Structures are given as C-alpha cells and as structure tokens.
Amino acid sequence: MKICLYGAGSIGGIIGAHLARVKGVEVSLIARGAHLDAIRRNGLRLISPHEDFTVKVNATDDPAELGPQDVVFITLKTHQYLAVLDKVLPLLGPETALIPPTTGAPYWFFHKLGGPFEGSRLKRMDPDGRQWSMFGPERALGCAYWAGGVVPAPGVAHLENEVCYLPLGEPDGSASPRVTALSAAMNEAGLKAPVKSDIRAEIWSKMINSLTWNPIAVLTLADNGGIGCSPGAVDIARRMMTEAEAVAAKFGATMATPMEKRIEFTVGLGDHKMSMLTDLQAGKPLEIDALADSIADLSELAGVATPTIDMMLSLLKLRAVA
C-alpha cells in the first residue's frame, strides 16, 4: 500500500512515522525547507509519551516525483491546501483515496448523505467547486484527527499526550475494502483508527471542538486547564457548542460524544494548549478561515443563526491581526 502524507507537520509526521514501520506500507512525505532537509538527512523522528524512534521515509517537495498513490492524506492547514490543489493531482490514480483536511467541513460533506441536502456544495470551503470538480467526491474518505502534536525541531514530530484517535469512514457509511485496509494498516502501526459507519458524527464533534475552544484559548491565552477553571469561559463554550449542534441537527447529524463529556475531556487535558494558541505564540498564521467558512456555509444551508459563534470569531479575527 502506497500512502502519501501531503504535509509533514505534526499530524502528518505522527501518522507517517507510525505507518513507516508497517510491513507492506510504502510511506512518502511532501515537505519543504529545513524540515525536508532534516528528514532526508536524518530520517523522521517521532517523540511520544511511550516511545522515541526514527524512521527512514521518502520525502520530497515535488509530488510529481512520487506518482499515483493508494491513499493521500492532506495534512496541511486548510488555507495551505487550497493553494496547492493542482500539485495534488499527480498523486491521484483512478482508485486513489483522498483524505482532505477536516478542521472544517470537507468538500465532500454532503456526498452520499441522502435526504434533501444530498450533493449540496460548500461555496466558501470549496470556492467555485474546484475540489469537487478536480478530485470528485467519490474518491474521498473521512478522518477526524484527535491528536495533539507539535514540530519542536526540523525532522521531528512530537505527540504531546496519550490521545491519538483517528477514526476513518466512507461518506456512505460502508465498510469498503479500501477503508478497511487503511484502518488495518493504521491500527497495526499503533494508531487507533477504527472504521466508523457515521464518520460525519466524528467530524462534527472534532470541528465543533476546534470551533469552540480555539477562539477562547487565543482570546484568553489560557491552556485547557486554565479555561476549565473559569465557569464563565466554560459557559461560553457550552453556548457555542449548543449553536453548532443546532446547525448539525438540521442535517440529521448526531454527535459522536455527548457535549458534557467533550467539555470534561477538553478541560481535563490540563496544560495542553489548543493548536491555534500554539500557532499564535509561535507567530504562525491562524487557521481561522476554515472554521469561520465552515460554520458560515453550514449555518446558511441549515437556516440556523449562530450569534455567539459569530461574535467569538469576529473577536478572534481581530486578535489575529492585533
């Protein structure tokens, strides 16, 4: 099985390093700059709470060198991904499965959903329908990334805590041969990647989590435990989640995990920092648009207002340029 991670940052590095140890899996990474140089020179190092190892992987900054893959994970930030759509094409053969970013709603979200919203397009998340027309929704697989990671140095990925949950699923909910094979390889690699019959529920839960906690973290500069110590901040999170779940309900969605359990889990991570706060403190661009555009597309389709979310995102955008 040939698997390419397009983007060798924290998530791409974590998945790629694990998979590189599985017999019969050929892993390639698309990286750039000092990170690419370090991987080529020293291999890809993974540090986790349980182990510290280095693997040799094929790494390049030119996807055309690799040719068609069996599976392509796009592990770039959404704004980076939308700028390189053409460069993904050389990796795609007739049967290649594509897993686009799921920080927000992926372009295929209403493919095979059934009901009145079947085939609906996300005009902000997929401007001019480029992904839908270039890639096609039929090659898409879903994955929700529950893993906290950073890149502490070039060529190194660091899984910061014990949580590394990467559920997979087909848009139509089937246990297809391709998703079953990918799940088996990832589980053999030590990644918890079950096949889910409702992958949208997993994506909704992760998307709402990111949409809720990232703005609060950036605006307060607090880690997860610090947010949890503020009843007012937690109440804002609860209001944001309630609004987002009302949007989801219009599409017949259910959450993979109940709201209060998700709140308990997130604040229970203690000194863990949300990814957007980590980016802010590192001077990196914030991945705001994927969250803002997703909820705007979805709430507009659903006809459901999200006043608390809108307010928090407006403040977040102002903080990002301050």
Side-chain angles (χ1 to χ4, degrees), residues 10-270:
S10 57
I11 295 298
I14 289 165
I15 296 173
H18 279 89
L19 284 170
R21 299 189 296 180
V22 177
K23 185 178 181 180
V25 174
E26 180 183 331
V27 173
S28 298
L29 301 177
I30 308 296
R32 61 183 181 178
H35 196 49
L36 173 60
D37 293 340
I39 294 170
R40 283 174 164 170
R41 184 173 59 252
N42 304 318
L44 174 63
R45 181 183 177 191
L46 178 70
I47 303 170
S48 79
H50 301 297
E51 54 188 344
D52 183 338
F53 65 89
T54 300
V55 291
K56 287 291 185 181
V57 294
N58 185 19
T60 181
D61 58 2
D62 183 4
E65 292 181 358
L66 302 177
Q69 305 288 303
D70 295 304
V71 180
V72 176
F73 284 86
I74 305 294
T75 45
L76 297 169
K77 302 288 189 183
T78 300
H79 63 276
Q80 297 170 323
Y81 164 55
L82 293 176
V84 298
L85 296 182
D86 291 344
K87 294 184 178 181
V88 176
L89 291 175
L91 300 169
L92 306 180
E95 304 299 324
T96 303
L98 178 68
I99 302 176
T102 53
T103 298
Y107 75 95
W108 56 264
F109 209 51
F110 292 101
H111 174 61
K112 298 290 186 181
L113 176 67
F117 295 100
E118 167 68 35
S120 294
R121 310 294 180 88
L122 301 171
K123 63 183 181 183
R124 296 173 183 84
M125 288 299 291
D126 187 20
D128 300 319
R130 289 186 68 210
Q131 296 175 74
W132 191 285
S133 61
M134 289 174 68
F135 305 145
E138 65 280 348
R139 71 166 70 249
L141 288 177
C143 181
Y145 300 105
W146 292 94
V150 294
V151 176
V156 182
H158 182 198
L159 177 61
E160 294 183 295
N161 51 58
E162 309 245 353
V163 178
C164 189
Y165 179 57
L166 307 168
L168 300 165
E170 289 278 4
D172 66 1
S174 65
S176 67
R178 65 177 186 169
V179 76
T180 302
L182 179 58
S183 172
M186 292 175 70
N187 285 317
E188 184 178 345
L191 299 164
K192 188 176 181 183
V195 176
K196 293 291 185 175
S197 60
D198 186 2
I199 191 59
R200 289 180 188 82
E202 303 286 346
I203 293 173
W204 270 113
S205 292
K206 181 62 170 65
M207 179 168 54
I208 292 173
N209 191 77
S210 296
L211 176 68
T212 299
W213 300 106
N214 275 304
I216 294 173
V218 169
L219 293 171
T220 63
L221 304 182
D223 60 25
N224 291 33
I227 295 171
C229 290
S230 168
V234 173
D235 183 60
I236 291 171
R238 190 175 285 111
R239 285 160 54 191
M240 294 175 75
M241 288 183 170
T242 298
E243 290 177 5
E245 290 190 15
V247 174
K250 283 289 186 176
F251 304 119
T254 57
M255 297 301 106
T257 308
M259 181 189 300
E260 292 304 321
K261 188 172 181 179
R262 301 198 314 272
I263 292 173
E264 180 183 355
F265 167 78
T266 302
V267 301
L269 292 175

